[in-house]
Amino acid sequence: MLNHSRRVHPLVLVVSLVLAVGVSVCSLVADEFGKPDAQAQRVSNIVSRLLDQHLSNRKLNDAISRRALNVYLKTLDPMKMYFMKSDIEEFKQWETQIDDYMKDGEYAAAFGIFKRFLKRIDQRVELAVELIHADHDFTIDEEMVTDRDMIDYADSDMEARERWRKRIKYNLLVYQNDKTQEEASSDEDGETPTVIQDPKERLEKRYRSFANRMSRFDNEDVIEMYITAITNSFDPHTSYMSPSTYENFQITMRLELEGIGATLQSTDDGLTVIRRIVPGGAADKHGKLKVEDKIAMVGQGDSGEMVDVTDMKLDDVVGLIRGKAGTTVRLGVMSPGSNDLKTISIVRERIELKDSEAAGVVFEVGKNAAGEPFQIGVIDLPSFYADMAGANRNVRDYKSTTRDVRNILNDFKQAGVDAVVLDLRRNGGGSLREAIDCSGLFIDNGPVVQVKDPYGQIDSLNDENFGMAWEGPLVVLVSKFSASASEILAGAVQDYGRGLVVGDSSTHGKGTVQTLLNLNQVLYNIRNAPPTLGALKITIQQFYRPNGDSTQKRGVLSDIVLPSISDHMDVGEADLEYPVEFDHVPKASFTSMNMVSGELVKQLAQRSADRISASEDFQRQLRRIDTYVNQKEAKTVSLNERVFNERRKEFDADKEDEKAIEDQLNHTNADIKRDYYMDEVLNIAVDYVQSIAGEPLARKN
């Protein structure tokens, strides 16, 4: 199984989960915080042994221990705002012991560091509140360093106070700027919302909420974060999943759940906000719950006690709202711009996540020789999903990417489309088997990907089904967010000369294969054992294109590059810590389909470049990209209000990053839209159709 769906850690304020019912599992939480029970010790011991199977052949030793300490500290305190330098010096007592602790099931370092973190949070939040209500001079020219590598942990209380003074000043500038924009927007709409929160009040609530959430971390949360810091020291994609995280992962893969049908996110004021309503789900049918509503209380059944969920961890809120189909949950909800609490009762039901499946739409573009518009079919594929449990049980018609894409292609053929665009821009990976089978819809048969294990053994994984579901022109649309399984398909299409790869200059660059090990099955050798110990996702193979090149760190290079901000974001594999290095193996034996040549790519790229040069939308985007790059390369930010606001008015690189990540988390196939970017992709597809008109399609030498 191959997966690139990164887990968003509870420490991140904006996270996304789909409400679902999970199996009943035993918690790793002991009665007393910081004293894990026997199951937690067992998890540590099993994971330490399984890490011997890692692709890198690295051992759990002192070198990994030093890495793990750094990763753990960076996870907790990424901008070095909470810990003191004296804390770090004290923590060094564990820098060569974490590997031994892991083998012995000892968590002294995990909880010793986390408890100190909680202590520092209490101190820093009180300092922050004091500084929030202090007087600040926003007319003087001073700057705050934004590059973590340029600063060290504070060496004294005075140094910590000065750093926090600048941080609070920066926060207030951001919130004041947001407030000004909200007020301006309200004036334009002719309506004034009930509440536009004061920046100081909003900021104080944010820090107090953060402290409350951290104080509610239990043993399971800390253990998951700590063990993942150790596993991430082998590579970024080897991680430990607690029982609840493992269940959420399985729900994502099988695309079905029981619940109200909504996507939630934590906010910085301690509430839980509705980010998306699943079409056809219980909340959608009920009609009263709206996007941007905030959930403050949750009650079970028609008369159960309403529980205050303010500052509660998102996982715990999900646990209260999820439940079996046919049962009722009551939500205490506040609408945007209002502090009035209303109660909504919703009957949970079984939901299929149709908007996370592959979806297709046909667009008309230009005119052909007969004066009719070209028909271009676009398939949006959010992930390579599969109901693995259903497949293991031999369930007929279990959820499958390949089956869904094949059905869309059949519909396209009946509609007489001239070309197909497969949009993988937000596809972060998924099932390796589905990636291979889905690639086989576009090639006749042959190797799709090669894999090498820790022992140097190379295997070729082939499309073994003769024939193709689509033989015509194909364009694969990619971005820096296209990763893992997406890169397998894009690389195979490119190597076979089967179609064009268009989009960002390269894909993400994740060229490794993970397997997911249910720790209960490993320990007890019981098939389909309940996940009471969680699971280990471990990198066991590196994959290679049919031409022998790995996509690791390098990605798949696009034939035609289109301007986008995502191409310049630090979201690629090479931007992560401790990635596996690029590698290559001998070329596999396969026959090119010759539907793409270097000369053809050159001609199509030039036509695209000419259109982009004449496009006001693309020229505007290019200017935004220049500003984005300049802002991201800056190591400091001005705390002069005039300079700060001018910068934000021109462009806000931080908001652009946040928006991109949120779009990645919340993307659904309902987002298939025809904007200027998609228009250019469709024009490329039409150029491609016209360039090969009259020639045999999907042919072999």
Side-chain angles (χ1 to χ4, degrees):
M1 195 282 301
L2 176 76
N3 180 264
H4 186 71
S5 55
R6 294 184 187 169
R7 181 176 185 267
V8 184
H9 199 273
L11 281 174
V12 180
L13 295 180
V14 180
V15 289
S16 177
L17 286 173
V18 177
L19 302 182
V21 63
V23 298
S24 176
V25 297
C26 299
S27 174
L28 296 179
V29 182
D31 291 338
E32 187 176 348
F33 179 70
K35 292 185 178 180
D37 59 15
Q39 287 205 154
Q41 295 170 346
R42 199 171 292 125
V43 166
S44 178
N45 182 265
I46 297 171
V47 171
S48 66
R49 288 189 283 114
L50 291 175
L51 286 172
D52 286 339
Q53 302 175 22
H54 192 271
L55 171 69
S56 66
N57 284 313
R58 283 184 173 274
K59 299 301 179 184
L60 184 57
N61 54 23
D62 288 353
I64 291 293
S65 183
R66 291 188 184 92
R67 283 186 177 185
L69 178 60
N70 289 331
V71 173
Y72 191 43
L73 293 174
K74 187 176 288 188
T75 301
L76 292 171
D77 190 9
M79 288 306 297
K80 303 178 183 177
M81 293 295 294
Y82 290 93
F83 289 124
M84 299 289 291
K85 185 178 292 185
S86 58
D87 295 328
I88 305 305
E89 291 301 318
E90 183 180 338
F91 298 156
K92 286 183 179 179
Q93 66 177 300
W94 292 309
E95 67 179 355
T96 60
Q97 296 183 17
I98 290 176
D99 55 320
D100 302 313
Y101 285 169
M102 186 73 175
K103 297 168 187 174
D104 297 337
E106 171 61 61
Y107 290 95
F111 288 97
I113 293 171
F114 191 79
K115 286 180 178 180
R116 180 66 56 82
F117 182 57
L118 293 179
K119 177 182 178 180
R120 293 303 185 201
I121 286 176
D122 288 341
Q123 295 171 344
R124 300 297 182 248
V125 169
E126 289 308 310
L127 174 60
V129 172
E130 175 193 336
L131 293 170
I132 287 168
H133 296 285
D135 292 329
H136 297 278
D137 186 350
F138 293 101
T139 65
I140 62 175
D141 291 325
E142 62 177 345
E143 295 181 326
M144 183 185 74
V145 177
T146 56
D147 186 341
R148 183 183 194 275
D149 295 332
M150 290 178 61
I151 57 176
D152 197 358
Y153 296 94
D155 198 19
S156 66
D157 290 340
M158 183 178 296
E159 184 180 350
R161 183 181 184 86
E162 176 64 7
R163 188 174 297 177
W164 273 92
R165 181 188 68 81
K166 290 186 175 182
R167 172 61 61 177
I168 295 302
K169 193 174 180 181
Y170 169 77
N171 292 151
L172 289 172
L173 283 170
V174 170
Y175 282 179
Q176 181 59 46
N177 188 276
D178 289 345
K179 181 173 180 286
T180 301
Q181 291 181 15
E182 289 175 8
E183 290 172 340
S185 176
S186 298
D187 291 342
E188 290 174 3
D189 294 340
E191 298 180 2
T192 302
T194 307
V195 178
I196 296 181
Q197 199 165 9
D198 176 74
K200 290 185 177 182
E201 178 185 344
R202 178 182 174 191
L203 189 55
E204 179 177 348
K205 187 177 291 186
R206 165 184 162 181
Y207 280 111
R208 291 201 184 280
S209 175
F210 174 71
N212 286 335
R213 284 198 300 276
M214 292 303 100
S215 69
R216 297 189 184 192
F217 264 44
D218 55 31
N219 284 359
E220 179 175 309
D221 296 322
V222 176
I223 288 169
E224 180 176 41
M225 180 169 49
Y226 173 72
I227 294 180
T228 293
I230 297 170
T231 59
N232 280 174
S233 300
F234 283 78
D235 86 295
H237 308 292
T238 297
S239 61
Y240 168 65
M241 296 183 185
S242 68
S244 56
T245 301
Y246 183 31
E247 173 61 16
N248 282 327
F249 171 80
Q250 291 178 313
I251 289 167
T252 301
M253 291 303 291
R254 63 177 177 258
L255 294 188
E256 63 181 17
L257 56 84
E258 290 180 349
I260 67 171
T263 299
L264 304 184
Q265 288 181 338
S266 294
T267 65
D268 60 12
D269 60 1
L271 295 177
T272 301
V273 66
I274 304 293
R275 285 302 184 210
R276 184 167 62 88
I277 303 293
V278 177
D284 185 37
K285 294 175 182 176
H286 186 275
K288 292 186 178 179
L289 193 66
K290 305 296 183 183
V291 172
E292 301 300 332
D293 281 352
K294 292 181 178 180
I295 300 173
M297 305 189 79
V298 179
Q300 304 302 321
D302 295 325
S303 58
E305 178 186 359
M306 294 294 285
V307 177
D308 187 348
V309 297
T310 304
D311 295 328
M312 188 177 289
K313 293 181 303 177
L314 185 59
D315 285 352
D316 292 341
V317 179
V318 170
L320 290 174
I321 299 177
R322 64 171 42 151
K324 293 184 178 180
T327 61
T328 299
V329 62
R330 299 189 337 276
L331 306 178
V333 174
M334 292 184 295
S335 299
S338 172
N339 287 328
D340 294 334
L341 193 68
K342 59 184 178 182
T343 301
I344 297 175
S345 296
I346 300 178
V347 177
R348 304 172 177 108
E349 62 182 41
R350 188 175 185 83
I351 303 162
E352 289 190 8
L353 302 181
K354 293 290 187 181
D355 58 349
S356 295
E357 297 177 353
V361 63
V362 177
F363 292 119
E364 294 185 346
V365 189
K367 300 288 184 181
N368 59 23
E372 299 293 328
F374 288 97
Q375 306 287 324
I376 308 298
V378 177
I379 299 176
D380 183 272
L381 187 58
S383 69
F384 288 93
Y385 49 85
D387 179 0
M388 293 176 287
N392 291 335
R393 297 195 309 270
N394 295 318
V395 174
R396 185 177 181 181
D397 294 336
Y398 66 88
K399 182 59 62 181
S400 162
T401 301
T402 305
R403 183 180 296 111
D404 291 346
V405 173
R406 183 188 293 275
N407 289 337
I408 293 172
L409 291 173
N410 288 338
D411 291 341
F412 282 176
K413 286 193 289 188
Q414 290 184 2
V417 301
D418 298 289
V420 168
V421 173
L422 183 61
D423 190 348
L424 304 178
R425 283 177 293 173
R426 298 173 184 84
N427 189 315
S431 165
L432 174 59
R433 185 68 255 170
E434 289 294 334
I436 294 168
D437 291 345
C438 193
S439 299
L441 299 176
F442 304 102
I443 64 173
D444 195 352
N445 70 298
V448 173
V449 62
Q450 303 182 79
V451 294
K452 184 172 70 173
D453 64 21
Y455 312 103
Q457 178 68 39
I458 301 171
D459 290 320
S460 179
L461 305 181
N462 298 351
D463 165 37
E464 298 177 349
N465 299 312
F466 288 88
M468 289 170 279
W470 173 252
E471 299 181 355
L474 173 67
V475 175
V476 179
L477 184 56
V478 299
S479 76
K480 287 283 284 291
F481 292 106
S482 304
S484 199
S486 298
E487 298 172 286
I488 288 176
L489 189 149
V493 166
Q494 196 172 65
D495 287 354
Y496 275 81
R498 173 63 184 86
L500 296 169
V501 178
V502 174
D504 287 358
S505 57
S506 69
T507 55
H508 180 87
K510 181 181 180 292
T512 54
V513 183
Q514 285 72 46
T515 189
L516 190 63
L517 303 174
N518 180 331
L519 298 188
N520 285 72
Q521 290 184 193
V522 172
L523 182 63
Y524 301 114
N525 196 27
I526 301 175
R527 186 178 178 86
N528 297 323
T532 56
L533 298 178
L536 177 68
K537 180 160 67 76
I538 180 172
T539 299
I540 57 168
Q541 294 173 316
Q542 187 163 350
F543 67 73
Y544 304 82
R545 294 164 53 157
N547 70 3
D549 284 344
S550 175
T551 59
Q552 179 63 16
K553 292 181 71 174
R554 182 179 297 183
V556 176
L557 306 183
S558 290
D559 297 309
I560 301 174
V561 178
L562 301 181
S564 76
I565 286 179
S566 63
D567 205 6
H568 302 273
M569 290 181 173
D570 297 330
V571 295
E573 184 82 0
D575 300 310
L576 303 176
E577 285 196 283
Y578 311 124
V580 173
E581 293 300 319
F582 173 82
D583 191 17
H584 60 85
V585 298
K587 178 181 178 180
S589 176
F590 65 94
T591 303
S592 173
M593 294 183 174
N594 291 326
M595 291 189 69
V596 176
S597 67
E599 183 59 31
L600 175 61
V601 168
K602 184 178 179 180
Q603 293 174 5
L604 297 179
Q606 185 58 57
R607 293 180 192 174
S608 177
D610 291 342
R611 283 190 296 266
I612 289 172
S613 296
S615 166
E616 292 184 6
D617 288 320
F618 270 112
Q619 292 308 305
R620 188 181 304 112
Q621 179 73 335
L622 286 168
R623 291 191 293 271
R624 286 165 53 85
I625 290 171
D626 286 341
T627 305
Y628 174 85
V629 171
N630 290 334
Q631 287 190 13
K632 294 296 287 186
E633 289 179 349
K635 306 297 183 182
T636 61
V637 60
S638 174
L639 299 180
N640 178 294
E641 186 171 19
R642 178 184 58 80
V643 176
F644 180 88
N645 288 338
E646 286 178 355
R647 173 186 180 273
R648 295 257 298 189
K649 184 177 181 181
E650 179 185 19
F651 189 80
D652 188 352
D654 293 336
K655 278 195 172 181
E656 200 70 29
D657 285 348
E658 292 173 7
K659 181 178 181 297
I661 298 301
E662 189 167 333
D663 287 348
Q664 181 74 4
L665 288 170
N666 296 328
H667 172 69
T668 71
N669 56 33
D671 295 327
I672 302 177
K673 57 185 178 182
R674 185 169 179 175
D675 55 13
Y676 73 93
Y677 189 96
M678 179 58 75
D679 271 339
E680 178 53 29
V681 175
L682 297 175
N683 285 329
I684 291 171
V686 168
D687 284 348
Y688 185 27
V689 170
Q690 292 176 317
S691 296
I692 61 176
E695 297 184 16
L697 299 183
R699 65 193 185 284
K700 296 182 178 180
N701 282 332

